[in-house]
Amino acid sequence: GAGVSQSPSNKVTEKGKDVELRCDPISGHTALYWYRQSLGQGLEFLIYFQGNSAPDKSGLPSDRFSAERTGGSVSTLTIQRTQQEDSAVYLCASSPSGGGSLAQHFGDGTRLSIL
Amino acid sequence: AQSVTQLDSQVPVFEEAPVELRCNYSSSVSVYLFWYVQYPNQGLQLLLKYLSGSTLVKGINGFEAEFNKSQTSFHLRKPSVHISDTAEYFCAVSGSSGNTPLVFGKGTRLSVIA
């Protein structure tokens, strides 16, 4: 596709369940980022991939959160044993390699609601 | 580390009036600066960016921003707003070396009144 694609667009699940969120970046973009947008905290960085490796995981809020990227393309963000405070919009962005001057392109996000 | 402060959480303005959304940043290293817009239930769309060179940056939809290093500011302006400009606007900063994550401000909700 032309842009960053995220699925599902909405996810409702019960507390304690595991969830997987998917991001399909723009073709050829080697850098991929996950952010979380919540009412109380605004937009927060979670994790950054360059290719398949994650040189910066500093934003992951707890060990319940993990992410992987395979084939230098699709990424999956997994949240285990979900808690109500995990409710948020999870945004994925990608950019070409070459430095911070190349702006990140965002998907429409996954709205996660924990009951 | 960087931080961004957007001084106004909400800005109401009448249609065809000018608007300025304020942004200040803090950083110990050289930075790139960005403004993004978010329409309801959508992701972030890049309005404009400052990398280097001219301090006045022009973006899409008639928006522009001016980088002021001495005041560590990057305020967004538009001379005449439209109803369709109603959205959330985010100022962001990133380090200028390598692919670095964006640090966002809390956002400013622009409401254009007919």
Side-chain angles (χ1 to χ4, degrees):
Chain A
V4 177
S5 178
Q6 291 187 246
S7 61
S9 54
N10 285 282
K11 177 72 176 179
V12 181
T13 193
E14 294 179 346
K15 176 182 171 181
K17 301 286 189 184
D18 297 352
V19 295
E20 284 190 353
L21 312 179
R22 176 188 167 105
C23 173
D24 201 340
I26 292 172
S27 178
H29 281 193
T30 57
L32 186 147
Y33 307 78
W34 284 98
Y35 296 87
R36 179 169 72 173
Q37 184 176 24
S38 56
L39 280 176
Q41 302 298 324
L43 275 155
E44 303 171 284
F45 164 74
L46 297 178
I47 187 170
Y48 153 59
F49 286 92
Q50 180 60 45
N52 290 336
S53 64
D56 190 348
K57 305 179 183 179
S58 61
L60 293 178
S62 76
D63 59 7
R64 295 186 295 104
F65 287 72
S66 62
E68 64 176 14
R69 189 180 185 194
T70 54
S73 180
V74 172
S75 175
T76 302
L77 177 68
T78 301
I79 309 173
Q80 295 178 309
R81 305 181 303 281
T82 52
Q83 303 294 314
Q84 286 187 332
E85 62 262 27
D86 299 334
S87 295
V89 176
Y90 290 82
L91 292 167
C92 176
S94 69
S95 69
S97 181
S101 62
L102 299 167
Q104 296 170 25
H105 299 260
F106 284 80
D108 286 342
T110 294
R111 184 175 299 276
L112 177 64
S113 300
I114 310 299
L115 302 178
Chain B
Q2 295 96 32
S3 67
V4 176
T5 301
Q6 290 185 244
L7 297 163
D8 305 296
S9 59
Q10 296 185 62
V11 173
V13 63
F14 286 104
E15 193 174 17
E16 298 184 7
V19 69
E20 178 180 81
L21 306 183
R22 296 180 292 169
C23 172
N24 286 89
Y25 70 94
S26 173
S27 177
S28 57
V29 299
S30 296
V31 297
Y32 296 138
L33 293 156
F34 305 83
W35 275 98
Y36 283 86
V37 60
Q38 186 177 36
Y39 299 102
N41 299 314
Q42 294 187 22
L44 300 171
Q45 180 182 2
L46 179 70
L47 276 177
L48 48 78
K49 60 185 177 183
Y50 171 79
L51 308 177
S52 65
S54 173
T55 57
L56 183 63
V57 180
K58 293 189 182 297
I60 63 171
N61 301 341
F63 284 94
E64 63 181 32
E66 185 156 18
F67 170 61
N68 188 319
K69 188 174 182 179
S70 63
Q71 296 187 5
T72 60
S73 69
F74 191 55
H75 300 333
L76 181 71
R77 302 186 184 98
K78 186 169 182 178
S80 175
V81 296
H82 303 289
I83 295 289
S84 59
D85 292 323
T86 294
E88 190 89 18
Y89 291 79
F90 292 93
C91 181
V93 63
S94 74
S96 60
S97 59
N99 278 314
T100 57
L102 293 166
V103 175
F104 288 90
K106 296 287 189 186
T108 296
R109 173 73 180 171
L110 174 64
S111 298
V112 181
I113 306 161

